[in-house]
Amino acid sequence: MEIEIYADVICPWCYIGKRRLDAALATYPGEVTVRYRPFQLDPSPVPEPLPLVEALAAKFGGPERARQMVDHVTQVAASDGLQLDYGRAVIANTFDAHRLVSYASDHGRAAEMVEALYQAHFTQGVDVGSREALATIAGEIGLDAADARRFLDSDERSADVAAQLATARDLGISSVPTFILAGKYAVSGAQDTQTLLAALTEVEQREAAAHSH
């Protein structure tokens, strides 16, 4: 079964959702291929990497509201074994990060790249909008950093990523993470591991029934 994950690397619920899916797949007996699909929470350009908490305060009506949101998601993440350091995180446009995931998938390293990007953004305070930083992350997971930088400085995959972002819009995906199972069943949000397991099992049964007729 193919699982497509529409997600953004600066989305905390996507990070939590990936961790829960990983946990579900660890106990799921079926054959699964995971594909990472791009989504941008905010496609607007980011002229400079401002602190994320400031940006959230501006977007959601003040520092108090932003702090509540941050505290809530940080607690949820912690219960899934993820450490989010919002004090260090900076805002970034993720278009190049999504291109880099596509590059990594050519080398069979998409899952590691996605994980490394989440960690860079949420725990290390790295600007994942910076091509220099992105190339460094590529090197850290065992890819050729210089080649990754060459790729990022070109316009390779730009049209491809833009087309995939358009596909997400066409599918009506407005919140992430969204998991698409077997190309037709959508599961939206960072569902808990048991819910994801149940969805996988149900889709596998439906697909088996459909193919047996």
Side-chain angles (χ1 to χ4, degrees):
M1 187 196 318
E2 185 169 271
I3 302 175
E4 296 167 276
I5 307 178
Y6 284 87
D8 199 355
V9 299
I10 54 168
C11 159
W13 295 106
C14 295
Y15 192 13
I16 293 166
K18 177 184 181 294
R19 181 54 56 100
R20 291 175 178 178
L21 179 68
D22 288 345
L25 293 178
T27 59
Y28 179 70
E31 282 287 305
V32 169
T33 306
V34 177
R35 305 209 185 282
Y36 297 92
R37 304 289 187 218
F39 186 89
Q40 284 194 285
L41 291 173
D42 186 355
S44 56
V46 175
E48 54 177 335
L50 296 166
L52 179 58
V53 178
E54 278 180 33
L56 291 174
K59 193 172 180 180
F60 293 106
E64 188 51 44
R65 178 84 189 97
R67 198 171 300 112
Q68 287 170 354
M69 292 171 61
V70 163
D71 288 348
H72 172 61
V73 73
T74 301
Q75 283 169 357
V76 175
S79 66
D80 281 276
L82 296 176
Q83 186 187 351
L84 305 185
D85 187 348
Y86 269 92
R88 298 177 71 182
V90 294
I91 59 171
N93 180 291
T94 53
F95 191 82
D96 281 338
H98 288 304
R99 287 174 58 222
L100 190 61
V101 172
S102 176
Y103 171 86
S105 64
D106 289 349
H107 300 271
R109 309 296 276 273
E112 289 159 275
M113 179 59 79
V114 168
E115 186 71 30
L117 287 166
Y118 283 130
Q119 285 183 11
H121 176 69
F122 283 108
T123 67
Q124 295 155 2
V126 171
D127 174 11
V128 294
S130 150
R131 289 177 174 179
E132 188 177 342
L134 290 171
T136 301
I137 294 167
E140 285 167 358
I141 67 161
L143 296 172
D144 182 329
D147 189 61
R149 181 63 196 258
R150 175 206 60 75
F151 166 85
L152 289 165
D153 285 338
S154 74
D155 64 355
E156 283 179 59
R157 298 294 164 87
S158 292
D160 185 39
V161 169
Q164 290 197 46
L165 291 167
T167 298
R169 284 195 297 274
D170 292 345
L171 289 171
I173 294 171
S174 59
S175 67
V176 284
T178 293
F179 305 93
I180 309 264
L181 310 181
K184 52 186 158 180
Y185 303 97
V187 178
S188 190
Q191 304 292 338
D192 64 60
T193 299
Q194 292 315 115
T195 305
L196 288 168
L197 264 176
L200 286 166
T201 306
E202 184 182 344
V203 168
E204 187 181 1
Q205 287 166 351
R206 282 192 197 180
E207 290 294 284
H211 292 148
S212 64
H213 293 312

